Amino acid sequence: MDVVIYHNPACGTSRNTLALIRHVGIEPHVIEYLKTPPSRALVASFVQRMGGGVRDLLREKGTPYAELGLGDPTLTDDQLLDAIEAHPILMNRPLVVSPLGVKLCRPSEVVLDLLPAEGLKPFTKEDGEVVVDANGRRIRG
């Protein structure tokens, strides 16, 4: 299965998502999106595949979100895409693309919706939270 993760190694949620992908035996294409941001057109296609709006991908914490006035509900998707293009940090992470769809994987276990379900092995996140139990059952997400 071909999987791409738009990743920030400084983010625990992103690290846990990457670990879950690898845990099921998939070595994804890892794109550090702050070093290699996706194009505006690619971000727009992700949003379309997710079935939401650009606002669903915006990150507030640790970004120029407030200074840019991005909380203004009258801003269009095109204006929000302009902001993400100019400031890639505004795109929330991790964003995962697989043949099963595109999702913002917050919390990290959401990535399991995009991966093969059979044969899950136990998995515990960095913080000790169990995501997949000893019987291969998802605990949350």
Side-chain angles (χ1 to χ4, degrees):
M1 177 180 273
D2 197 27
V3 175
V4 178
I5 179 171
Y6 289 86
H7 176 61
N8 181 344
C11 170
T13 301
S14 199
R15 290 191 305 271
N16 280 314
T17 302
L18 178 57
L20 271 164
I21 296 168
R22 289 177 169 155
H23 185 73
V24 300
I26 296 171
E27 184 54 42
H29 301 278
V30 179
I31 299 172
E32 289 189 35
Y33 76 99
L34 294 176
K35 292 180 181 177
T36 310
S39 69
R40 174 193 173 96
L42 195 53
V43 174
S45 75
F46 294 154
V47 170
Q48 183 179 23
R49 287 184 63 194
M50 290 172 58
V54 176
R55 193 167 294 284
D56 298 332
L57 276 184
L58 286 178
R59 179 172 178 83
E60 294 181 42
K61 183 179 175 187
T63 73
Y65 180 93
E67 300 89 77
L68 296 172
L70 299 179
D72 179 349
T74 65
L75 293 175
T76 66
D77 278 356
D78 280 337
Q79 290 170 306
L80 297 175
L81 285 168
D82 288 343
I84 291 172
E85 185 175 42
H87 306 278
I89 191 75
L90 287 166
M91 187 177 90
N92 215 339
R93 78 296 179 140
L95 188 68
V96 176
V97 181
S98 92
L100 300 176
V102 177
K103 287 190 181 247
L104 175 61
C105 295
R106 299 190 76 79
S108 57
E109 52 270 24
V110 168
V111 75
L112 294 172
D113 295 339
L114 300 174
L115 304 173
E118 63 278 348
L120 283 180
K121 297 174 286 194
F123 184 85
T124 303
K125 293 200 266 186
E126 288 179 2
D127 65 1
E129 179 184 354
V130 175
V131 175
V132 179
D133 70 14
N135 297 315
R137 288 188 303 252
R138 290 172 66 170
I139 302 301
R140 326 179 355 194

